[in-house]
Amino acid sequence: MHRLGGRKIFIFGFIAVLLIGIPVTIYLVQKQQETRSHAEKSTNVSFLPESSASAPITKNVGDSIPLEITVDPGKNLVSFVKLEIQYDPDKLATASPSAFVQNATVFPSVLEGPIFTPGKIAVTLSVGPDPTKSIQTKVKAATVTFKALKSTPPGTPTLVSYGATTQVLSIGSNDQASENVLSSATPATIVIGGPAAVISPTVPVPTEVVPTAAVTPTEVPSVIPTSLPTPVPTSVPTTVVAPPSANQAPICTSLALDKSTGNAPLAVTFTANGTDADGTINKVTFNYGDGQVSDVTTGGGIGTAATNVTSPHSYSAAGTFTAQALVTDDKGGVSDSASCKQTVTVTASGSPALPTPTIAPTGASDVAIGIGAVILTFIVGGGFLFFFL
């Protein structure tokens, strides 16, 4: 009886320990999780050269504007950067499909993009799976190059800024896998002037030199000639007007697309860039290669000497298509048909899609593991004491 009573006391004590220990364990693990989730946000992203409203970057229409994207991790260990770069498409254009170039030494992996849409560039960079390669000092992450399309009003510069979806992840001991540690994002401030003025050469005007020495009068002949010389008429030069120079055809400098492969129906956004040396561009024609053609006559710099025009298109059937962009100027000139071509490959809708990489979630699993370990310890210890006391 004494042994049975002792076992009952032990069982009640064991249950009491469970009732007290489990909530305490949950509370402690949750507090630890909460502490770990509050990482310090100290990473900054910015552009070089540095600029501000009082000291902007100054360019003229037609100039190239290269900007370096820098990442200063602060106290974080940066492993992942998602950039959303915003700009005014009426004032700026991306120079070419290679307008965005990542620093492969620092960020060897491009997880997404770059995706070019009107007024926005989206790209996601990563250091890769090796945590020892995390960014711990200020680095140049990439370079993006713009072209100045139109002058800015006096006192109103145009900005190249980072959008709301810009995100930086860190792999420090106090950082969660999905916690944004971005502290600040500094834009680039740009002032665009008109085209550079052409200065005509100055033709020197000869100056008549008057001699200062006294002129000795000559002797007047005593015989006055009876006949005067006949004046010779002076011919008036005829002004020759040069014939007007021939029109220079515009140039399609690049044709970019946000994706080139995928299952039908496949939505693709095309971006064409073009210039005209002696006039303006009136139209950009997109031939998608599947029998569909689209003319763009407004927006994107149409009516100026440089354009950055975007056109969306959806491919409904499978196949390989050659898309093309043609640029037409105000005098009817058309760009070379051999330039600005891209190939789009569309597979049938039943084809398997590429798997999307996922990151294993953390947080709740840590709590479950901690609770399970505590309960298992109590059960094993209680069973041992119950049968051997």
Side-chain angles (χ1 to χ4, degrees):
M1 293 296 292
H2 175 73
R3 183 179 180 83
L4 184 59
R7 288 185 176 181
K8 288 182 178 181
I9 293 173
F10 171 78
I11 291 173
F12 285 120
F14 180 69
I15 294 174
V17 170
L18 287 178
L19 294 177
I20 297 173
I22 292 177
V24 171
T25 303
I26 294 174
Y27 173 78
L28 294 176
V29 174
Q30 286 180 340
K31 291 297 290 184
Q32 181 186 13
Q33 188 69 22
E34 181 181 355
T35 302
R36 291 169 60 187
S37 66
H38 286 78
E40 181 177 354
K41 296 184 177 182
S42 61
T43 300
N44 303 310
V45 293
S46 59
F47 292 103
L48 288 179
E50 296 180 352
S51 59
S52 63
S54 59
I57 299 170
T58 303
K59 295 289 183 177
N60 290 322
V61 172
D63 285 351
S64 177
I65 309 174
L67 298 175
E68 291 186 359
I69 299 171
T70 63
V71 177
D72 187 351
K75 297 181 180 180
N76 301 125
L77 304 178
V78 174
S79 61
F80 171 99
V81 176
K82 180 179 181 181
L83 299 172
E84 179 188 337
I85 303 171
Q86 297 181 342
Y87 61 94
D88 184 351
D90 289 334
K91 301 293 189 299
L92 299 171
T94 51
S96 66
S98 59
F100 185 96
V101 180
Q102 92 273 16
N103 185 351
T105 303
V106 178
F107 288 101
S109 301
V110 180
L111 302 183
E112 181 184 26
I115 300 173
F116 297 88
T117 54
K120 186 170 68 174
I121 304 172
V123 63
T124 302
L125 307 175
S126 172
V127 301
D130 187 355
T132 63
K133 298 185 181 299
S134 61
I135 308 304
Q136 303 180 41
T137 59
K138 186 175 181 179
V139 296
K140 182 184 81 171
T143 300
V144 59
T145 304
F146 294 95
K147 185 173 184 178
L149 296 180
K150 187 184 298 183
S151 58
T152 55
T156 308
T158 187
L159 298 179
V160 179
S161 58
Y162 295 99
T165 62
T166 298
Q167 186 180 23
V168 178
L169 302 184
S170 175
I171 55 175
S173 59
N174 293 329
D175 302 332
Q176 294 301 294
S178 60
E179 184 176 6
N180 190 2
V181 296
L182 179 64
S183 174
S184 64
T186 305
T189 305
I190 304 171
V191 171
I192 304 174
V198 179
I199 302 176
S200 301
T202 303
V203 179
V205 178
T207 304
E208 182 180 359
V209 179
V210 179
T212 58
V215 180
T216 304
T218 58
E219 182 180 357
V220 178
S222 59
V223 180
I224 301 175
T226 58
S227 62
L228 297 175
T230 304
V232 179
T234 304
S235 60
V236 179
T238 303
T239 302
V240 179
V241 179
S245 59
N247 177 44
Q248 296 185 35
I251 299 174
C252 182
T253 57
S254 66
L255 177 62
L257 59 164
D258 61 344
K259 61 178 74 70
S260 59
T261 59
N263 293 339
L266 178 65
V268 181
T269 298
F270 295 88
T271 301
N273 290 275
T275 59
D276 188 28
D278 61 346
T280 59
I281 296 175
N282 280 6
K283 179 177 65 175
V284 177
T285 301
F286 292 89
N287 186 333
Y288 305 108
D290 60 351
Q292 300 294 319
V293 179
S294 174
D295 289 334
V296 179
T297 57
T298 59
I302 296 292
T304 68
T307 58
N308 176 251
V309 176
T310 300
S311 179
H313 181 68
S314 179
Y315 292 90
S316 58
T320 301
F321 308 97
T322 300
Q324 181 184 34
L326 294 175
V327 178
T328 304
D329 66 11
D330 56 335
K331 299 181 183 65
V334 182
S335 61
D336 184 5
S337 60
S339 61
C340 291
K341 290 185 177 182
Q342 292 285 0
T343 300
V344 180
T345 303
V346 183
T347 54
S349 59
S351 301
L354 295 176
T356 302
T358 57
I359 300 175
T362 60
S365 59
D366 295 337
V367 178
I369 293 173
I371 295 172
V374 172
I375 294 176
L376 180 61
T377 301
F378 280 124
I379 292 175
V380 172
F384 177 82
L385 295 175
F386 180 80
F387 288 105
F388 292 98
L389 284 180

